[in-house]
Each structure stands twice: as C-alpha cells, then as structure tokens.
Amino acid sequence: MPQNANGNEVIPSARRLIKSLRDMGYDFASAVADLVDNSIEAGASLVAIDVEFDGDDSWVRIADS
C-alpha cells in the first residue's frame, strides 16, 4: 500500500479512481474485461467474479487461479 510522508498507510479512493477513469472513457465493463484477459494471458485456469449490490457498500471481486 502507498504511504504518506509520515509513513502512514494511505488507502486510495476507489470512487475517485473510477471517476477519473470514466472521464477518460474507460468504463467498468472494459476494466473487468481487461482483468479477465490478463488472467487468461497469465495462464489462469479459473477466473471468479463475485458481485454484491448493496448501495454505497457494493463491491466486485475478481480472482484467478
């Protein structure tokens, strides 16, 4: 994880990152497709995509093996 000048862990803002990527024309579906493509190219035999829709507490997990 990134650290600030005081050595404290800084957790990046996912919301800010997503907005920045969207402003550049990079959408969520493209990001997921890129991650799956990367997994396949790296030789993954399984790519699992888990999604939880819960308002502001929604999340997506993409894992490969």
Side-chain angles (χ1 to χ4, degrees):
M1 272 297 152
Q3 296 182 349
N4 65 13
N6 297 326
N8 298 320
E9 183 178 85
V10 178
I11 299 172
S13 168
R15 186 176 301 229
R16 192 174 331 168
L17 175 61
I18 290 169
K19 183 179 179 335
S20 297
L21 292 171
R22 190 179 306 135
D23 289 346
M24 295 185 320
Y26 193 66
D27 64 0
F28 179 76
S30 296
V32 171
D34 283 347
L35 290 169
V36 172
D37 284 344
N38 289 346
S39 294
I40 293 168
E41 286 184 30
S45 59
L46 174 70
V47 180
I49 302 173
D50 299 307
V51 180
E52 176 70 32
F53 293 104
D54 188 19
D56 286 343
D57 293 325
S58 297
W59 54 268
V60 174
R61 176 178 44 224
I62 302 170
D64 64 18
S65 58

